[in-house]
Amino acid sequence: MSDAGQLQLLRQAAVAAREHAYAPYSHFRVGAALRATDGTIFPGCNVENSSYPAGICAERGAIAAAVAAGYRTFSHVVIVTDAEHPTPPCGICRQVLVEFSSQLEIISVTTAGAETIWSLSDLLPSPFTPQSLPHL
Ligand SMILES: [Zn+2]
């Protein structure tokens, strides 16, 4: 994605999704915007739960929305938090993301303007994928 305008749209979608984050326990609000390879954008936010393990991260919320809409290949995800440093996806989200797009580019930004870019293959160098299952 070389188009700066597309990146700006992704950032805006992630910022808007973060506004809807449900984080009454951690107060750590996260927004995500996942870009399908055709350019369609799927937002996500973290949704916590009083039964703490039932909560879901913003990235997985975005993946679930995209898959429900029929999308399975993605090029970028933007993550927004108000942390001091850009936040990488957690281990569970890395695993869920690699199921669909091992070459995903992850752009993490803070509300203060810091930015870090990773490739998913850098964050999860030896992934367990569908090809790891012996019957496939
Ligand atoms: Zn996560």
Side-chain angles (χ1 to χ4, degrees):
M1 183 178 62
S2 58
D3 183 358
Q6 280 255 319
L7 180 56
Q8 186 59 25
L9 286 175
L10 272 176
R11 283 174 180 263
Q12 290 172 351
V15 167
R18 182 176 173 271
E19 292 299 313
H20 299 293
Y22 179 72
Y25 308 107
S26 72
H27 303 288
F28 185 59
R29 298 155 60 88
V30 183
L34 182 66
R35 181 187 184 275
T37 48
D38 76 347
T40 306
I41 295 172
F42 295 93
C45 64
N46 55 330
V47 180
E48 295 181 352
N49 192 275
S50 53
S51 175
Y52 286 14
I56 188 168
C57 301
E59 301 92 318
R60 279 180 287 143
I63 280 276
V67 172
Y71 290 83
R72 293 189 177 176
T73 57
F74 309 100
S75 62
H76 297 78
V77 64
V78 171
I79 301 166
V80 178
T81 74
D82 65 355
E84 182 179 356
H85 303 289
T87 305
C90 79
I92 297 171
C93 286
R94 294 178 196 190
Q95 179 63 39
V96 171
L97 292 166
V98 82
E99 178 83 8
F100 297 100
S101 296
S102 61
Q103 301 305 311
L104 191 71
E105 185 169 285
I106 298 159
I107 303 154
S108 184
V109 300
T110 69
T111 53
E115 176 180 303
T116 300
I117 299 174
W118 298 278
S119 69
L120 183 55
S121 59
D122 287 341
L123 294 180
L124 193 62
S126 299
F128 187 92
T129 68
Q131 291 72 38
S132 303
L133 295 171
H135 64 274
L136 292 180

